[in-house]
Amino acid sequence: MQQLLTTTLSGITLGFVYAAFALALVMIWRSTRIVNFAQAPMAMLTTYVALTVIDAGYSYWIGFAAALVAGFVLGAAVEWLVVRRVDSTVEINPVILTLGLFIVFHSVAALVFGSQFRSFPAPFGVRGFEVGDTTIALTGFGVFTILAVLAVLGLLLLLFRFTDVGLRMRASAFNAEVSRLLGVRVGRMLSLGWALAALVGSLSGLLIAGGGLVHPSYMDPVVVYGFVAAVLGGLDSPMGAVAGGLLLGLCLSFVSGYLGSELVAMAALLVLVAVLLVRPGGLFASTVQRRV
Amino acid sequence: MSSLLASARQSVLARHLTAGLVAAVVGILVLSLVSEFRATQLAAMAYLGIAAAGLTLLTGLNGQLSLGHGAFMAIGAYTAALCLQDAEPLAPLPVILLAATAVAVLVGLVVGIAAARLHGPYLAGATLALAVAVPGLAIFWDGTLGGEQGLTVRVPDVPAWFADAVFFLTATDPTRGRYTAYVAWLVLVAVFVLLANLSRSRVGRTWRAVRDDEVAAELAGINLARSRVLAFVVSAACAGLAGALMALVVRIAAPSGFTLTLSLTLVAAIVLGGLGSLVGALAGAALLTFLPQLVTQFGGDLGLDDVRSAELAPLVYGVVMVLVILLAPTGLVGSLRTWRHRRAARSAQPPDPERTSTTHHNTTERARA
Amino acid sequence: MNALTVTDLTATYGPVRALDGVSFEVAPGCVTAVLGANGAGKTTLLRTLSGLVRPIAGTAHLGGTDLLRTPAEEMTRTGLAHVPEGRGVIAELTVRENLRLGALGAPRGRRGRFDLPRIYELFPVLGERRDQVAHTLSGGERQMLVIGRALLAEPEILLLDEPSLGLAPRVVAQIFALVRDLVDTDGLTVLLAEQNARSALSIADRGLVLGLGRVVADEPAADLADDVRLRDAYLGN
């Protein structure tokens, strides 16, 4: 019983982090029809930025903010400098582009920050809460994780639904040419989309790092899990990304707890294959056909 | 007409076989002359080349991008390693290599069937997951597969006939290290001849048709799924074989040898060399084998320590990969071909002004006017 | 002063000349119909004017503004609204959101001839369906949506590309009548590309006939209806 509770709680916490990463992937997919495989090392880099700031003596929160800002800037820069110039009519090209960026960001991190394992602080503590005699598997940091992701989700929802900028971004993603004719600066909106997505990715990077170890490869499995979560929810659906993240987090937590942590990646693969073969549009596929 | 085709086909086969024979002999000569270290490097280039060749056919000819071929290499490597545990190998080396290939083929069949229904980023993501998942299995089954440490490989003794043949050609006796290099090179030549023929054959044309226009291909009577699965299986076979050779050359099969980086490295190799080009695949493999040493030296000159210098190589080919895909998507070999064609057929054509922005990246065009 | 002046406009798709030395003038406050068969260059003309296609030669001016130097996303701020071929409804957004987008494109400090209440007045069905997702609208409703959306940008000139496509004659008549009204009451200038020559000429002041990218006829609309050149341009002569 104890283990069931532990597994579930850690699954939920982990699920929220995967949800954030999946959301970053979905945001970029919706706006530019690209799966940003480089999102993982991008988030890793911004976490290193936070680490550098913290090492320099500033508080965790300054480092946190620095990472988010760095993510925003990095996302915009990547879109503006590189993604915009790729010939996406060949389906393979953007994929190879993000893979190239994956490799580049990895080695940049190793060159600049070194490959050794570094520990990363976690605010609000990593001890489980005490309830009577027992310690439940929910930590202060875990609660923070859930709240942070929910806050970001809420803010994004407000942005997209209720602001003019959000409307312009959605229009640019749905129909770039018509949006241009309506006076929308589509290029800027796409950069903004990438910037926000990268910011969300940075958040997930910070949340995964908290209380654990940081090294250039630490985010790599997350790109797989995030992708699976995004596909699970339907690549076009932000809400689906969140739901997919939670589902996957729970599922993987159970696999890890009861079968073995080495099998987690295989479980993710099987989930992915199952979804893609049975319901390729994702569990929460939207019914509107996108104009290609 | 059919006899014309038959003779044309025969001449292609003859050309390939001749080229292969020459390459084999030259390769053995070269390998006997260089240092042991260099021979091992060339062996690495050989097995990477085999894996890259299979992948470039899959991606370039058939249009399926797999990020998980490191997993197939792992499968081939572990199969071979399991057979080469004792002083007496379970079977002669060619049989072991075939066995490793066969296992990779079986797994490739399963994966290929699932993959045939997937496209673009979905296929990439699924194979990415495969690349991450398979090494985990090796750790999970640490009883048989050696866990984190992996399995060490005992290189079998050089067969007498082989040693005689090598002596005949080069007047040297093959050491165990060089033996693995010779084997790797010979397998490379054989595989390339096979793949070159396959590429030119009806199967190759079918693959290209499927890549270029699925609907048209299907209307022409091509079974899409079968074509895709076949391409996948062939590439998995190459990767499995390459993995087996890798186990032989580096004498170990361990999870740390099959990271995500390996799969991405293979993709980098075929992108740099040009998708669909066998020569390009080998060029890419060569680049990836020899570049690190050059670049590490450069890093040392800059004052970086060894570990950091080692990271310069991936940085270089990551950057080159990005530049290639932006500026010359057909890769280095492909671009060279196009450039030569264009020079030969230079004509004055009016510039094409159509900038219909169905893709977002045209938004800044008019602003620059 | 003319609203729109086009001189020698030439645009190519590879070796094909979609527009070949097209010259004409559009007077403000009237409807100019651009007629011709499929492939005559009507759509290319509109797309070149609105910045989606760059010509290889020629000039185009709207009042004092050089259109060819203006990027597509600046067009509404310059006073040109283009309703593209296929309508260009953003299907995933609601009616209200589509309209809002149009309004966002209006130049600053423009006199409010067209605001949202006026649009709902002109097109009551849009008001009824304002919170519905645009892809649930019928063809005629979509056409009204995109016209309303274009009007909210307070344009000086409205480019309409084949609005009658796929619509029932009654709906076409309704929409065309409305366009004519806007021209008469608000002094809007309209460039109307149409295959349906009869309907277009019924509300047009002037007719421009294109054939294979060239101007074949440029006459007052009344004179054009029976003109043999018009028939030839469609039937290919």
Side-chain angles (χ1 to χ4, degrees), chain A residues 273-290:
Chain A
V273 172
V275 171
L276 286 178
L277 292 183
V278 172
R279 252 192 102 104
L283 293 179
F284 311 99
S286 61
T287 49
V288 175
Q289 284 301 319
R290 265 202 55 161

Side-chain angles (χ1 to χ4, degrees), chain B residues 349-358 362-369, chain C residues 12-14 47-48 51-54 56 67-73 75:
Chain B
Q349 260 219 349
D352 178 26
E354 172 63 87
R355 299 168 293 106
T356 42
S357 45
T358 48
N362 282 315
T363 44
T364 52
E365 288 260 23
R366 180 75 166 240
R368 294 198 208 116
Chain C
T12 57
Y13 289 113
R47 286 170 70 85
T48 308
L52 295 175
V53 170
R54 188 191 309 174
I56 61 170
L67 286 180
L68 301 184
R69 279 201 161 323
T70 312
E73 42 272 307
M75 280 300 169

Side-chain angles (χ1 to χ4, degrees), chain A residues 29 31-35 37 79-89 91-97 99-116 176-177 180 185-188 190 220-221 223-225 227-228 231 235 259-260 262-263 265-269 272-273 276-278 280-281 291, chain B residues 59-60 63-65 67 113-115 117-137 139-141 260-261 264-265 267-268 271 275 304 307-323 325-327 329 355-368:
Chain A
W29 173 260
S31 64
T32 52
R33 271 295 183 262
I34 292 177
V35 175
F37 289 112
E79 196 281 329
W80 189 70
L81 285 174
V82 173
V83 173
R84 190 174 291 203
R85 293 156 219 276
V86 76
D87 176 10
S88 331
T89 53
E91 211 177 23
I92 263 177
N93 287 350
V95 180
I96 293 179
L97 178 69
L99 290 178
L101 289 173
F102 186 106
I103 296 175
V104 169
F105 289 140
H106 243 273
S107 34
V108 165
L111 279 168
V112 175
F113 300 108
S115 307
Q116 61 274 51
E177 185 172 272
R180 287 182 71 195
R185 291 192 175 92
V186 171
R188 272 190 219 174
L190 293 177
D220 290 356
V223 75
V224 173
Y225 305 145
F227 178 73
V228 175
V231 169
L235 271 184
L259 293 175
E262 310 88 5
L263 292 181
M266 187 50 93
L269 174 64
L272 180 67
V273 172
L276 286 178
L277 292 183
V278 172
R291 203 187 87 116
Chain B
T59 307
Q64 301 187 73
L65 179 62
L67 302 182
I113 291 177
R117 312 245 310 249
L118 304 177
H119 285 257
Y122 291 101
L123 179 62
T127 48
L128 188 72
L130 184 71
V132 173
V134 166
L137 282 181
I139 301 177
F140 183 67
W141 288 319
L260 186 56
T261 311
L264 295 184
T265 301
V267 175
V271 168
L275 297 175
L304 294 172
V307 177
R308 280 188 145 93
S309 295
E311 292 296 332
L312 280 176
L315 179 65
V316 168
Y317 56 74
V319 169
V320 175
M321 200 164 144
V322 169
L323 289 175
I325 209 70
L326 289 181
L327 304 172
R355 299 168 293 106
T356 42
S357 45
T358 48
T359 52
H360 67 279
H361 63 272
N362 282 315
T363 44
T364 52
E365 288 260 23
R366 180 75 166 240
R368 294 198 208 116

Side-chain angles (χ1 to χ4, degrees), chain A residues 250-273:
Chain A
L250 277 169
C251 171
L252 294 184
S253 181
F254 273 93
V255 166
S256 176
Y258 290 99
L259 293 175
S261 61
E262 310 88 5
L263 292 181
V264 166
M266 187 50 93
L269 174 64
L270 292 174
V271 168
L272 180 67
V273 172

